[in-house]
Amino acid sequence: MVQHDEFRFLVDCGEGTQRQILQSGIGFKRLNRILITHGHLDHILGIAGLLSTFMRWETAIESIEIYGGKAALERIHDLLYGVVLRGAQPGISIELHTLEPGVFFDGGDFTVKAFPVYHRSPDCLGYLFEEKSRRPFLPEKADELHIPNGPWRRDLVDGKSVTLPDGRTIDPEWVLGETRQGTRLAYVGDVGDTASLTEVVRDVDALVIESTYLEEDREMAHSFAHLTAHSAAELAKRAGVKKLFLNHISRRYRDKDVLQEAQAVFENTVLTRDFDTFTVKKEE
């Protein structure tokens, strides 16, 4: 789950997702956007259970929006309408949004962009969550100009000139700092080759990516179009990523061995586990 202010995005929906949501305590409120990386069953089967939960509990959600590539959405359509609903009315609106690479969601102060990913499935996508650039308000400059607290400062933060009660006009240029790039989070699902991702994830503050295999099984990883921990770490290092989060780990390996392999290449690596919570923000 990726959350920014009141917005929530569930990325992929594997089997048992609704059970995990209940166990985590995050609840179903505003859980109305699902981003699908690709159409393999371990990434979409949970949509059936989640929809069934919404229908049975009569939650406050009136619609659910599912975003993904054409092939994935065709499979999801068959799953929902051919297996779950079978002619019944869902009680909520189901919207399937076929994506092409590019920005597809604008939340005001942030955007979500889809980008192509190579895996053993057509129309695979990754997602880039990106806060818009901004110019920070400099309260010390405002104090020097004796600008009162209240709507005048708020308008200046929004880049608007203001007229103060004493008649002076203040230009936002006088109280705003240099432009700063917003926080950026890239999420990549299953992937077999990272060459095309280097510039896409360049300098992101956090990269979430699979690490199914260890380097000792590199040939197997290649045959199934998955990554080793070493390959994921190489991408992070090559692209100047600030922090690397690994998931999708094969149970054949010990966590400490996966982490050790990745950190030997890229030290700032975290191995994620169920119910972990992280805050991603721009480094000062």
Side-chain angles (χ1 to χ4, degrees):
M1 180 81 71
V2 177
Q3 181 167 328
H4 177 76
D5 294 335
E6 75 273 20
F7 296 96
R8 307 172 84 190
F9 300 87
L10 182 65
V11 186
D12 285 337
C13 191
E15 186 176 3
T17 292
Q18 79 276 21
R19 174 179 56 83
Q20 295 291 79
I21 290 172
L22 286 169
Q23 190 170 341
S24 71
I26 62 176
F28 297 104
K29 187 176 181 182
R30 299 193 309 278
L31 183 57
N32 60 344
R33 295 183 181 92
I34 302 176
L35 313 183
I36 301 297
T37 61
H38 64 292
H40 285 169
L41 292 180
D42 59 325
H43 292 256
I44 67 170
L45 271 181
I47 294 177
L50 191 62
L51 178 61
S52 297
T53 297
F54 288 162
M55 293 167 59
R56 184 173 65 252
W57 285 14
E58 297 183 355
T59 64
I61 292 178
E62 297 180 355
S63 66
I64 184 167
E65 299 180 55
I66 304 174
Y67 299 81
K70 180 176 182 291
L73 293 189
E74 287 176 350
R75 203 170 197 185
I76 290 170
H77 180 277
D78 292 344
L79 173 66
L80 295 183
Y81 291 94
V83 178
V84 179
L85 296 173
R86 299 180 66 182
Q89 293 300 314
I92 63 174
S93 172
I94 303 173
E95 302 175 22
L96 303 180
H97 299 280
T98 303
L99 297 180
E100 297 291 340
V103 174
F104 64 90
F105 184 86
D106 191 324
D109 66 340
F110 78 103
T111 59
V112 188
K113 176 191 295 185
F115 55 87
V117 170
Y118 168 73
H119 186 50
R120 294 178 301 112
S121 180
D123 307 322
C124 297
L125 297 171
Y127 297 98
L128 180 64
F129 300 83
E130 189 169 17
E131 282 185 322
K132 295 179 181 179
S133 300
R134 64 184 183 87
R135 297 182 64 186
F137 182 73
L138 304 176
E140 66 277 11
K141 295 292 186 181
D143 291 341
E144 290 175 6
L145 293 169
H146 304 291
I147 299 173
N149 291 321
W152 304 280
R153 294 197 179 202
R154 287 197 298 272
D155 285 345
L156 288 168
V157 169
D158 291 336
K160 303 174 183 176
S161 296
V162 299
T163 300
L164 301 182
D166 61 12
R168 289 182 296 144
T169 298
I170 305 296
D171 191 292
E173 291 290 330
W174 301 350
V175 294
L176 297 181
E178 296 296 321
T179 300
R180 294 182 184 176
Q181 187 178 53
T183 302
R184 300 166 70 232
L185 163 67
Y187 189 104
V188 179
D190 295 0
V191 55
D193 184 79
T194 63
S196 66
L197 301 180
T198 304
E199 293 308 315
V200 176
V201 304
R202 174 76 65 188
D203 298 326
V204 295
D205 299 285
L207 169 62
V208 182
I209 196 168
E210 68 123 314
S211 175
T212 307
Y213 294 96
L214 288 182
E215 196 67 11
E216 64 193 47
D217 294 316
R218 185 178 186 86
E219 290 304 315
M220 188 182 301
H222 178 74
S223 64
F224 288 106
H226 281 293
L227 291 189
T228 66
H230 183 272
S231 298
E234 281 187 324
L235 170 63
K237 182 178 181 179
R238 187 169 69 243
V241 168
K242 304 301 186 297
K243 195 162 190 173
L244 174 65
F245 295 90
L246 300 181
N247 63 6
H248 206 282
I249 311 298
S250 171
R251 293 188 177 182
R252 73 183 68 199
Y253 308 117
R254 297 182 301 178
D255 286 357
K256 68 177 185 179
D257 293 334
V258 177
L259 191 59
Q260 182 179 18
E261 179 171 294
Q263 288 183 332
V265 178
F266 186 80
E267 184 176 359
N268 200 10
T269 300
V270 173
L271 196 65
T272 63
R273 298 175 177 85
D274 287 356
F275 309 121
D276 281 350
T277 301
F278 302 96
T279 298
V280 178
K281 57 184 178 181
K282 177 68 63 180
E283 292 183 356
E284 296 297 334

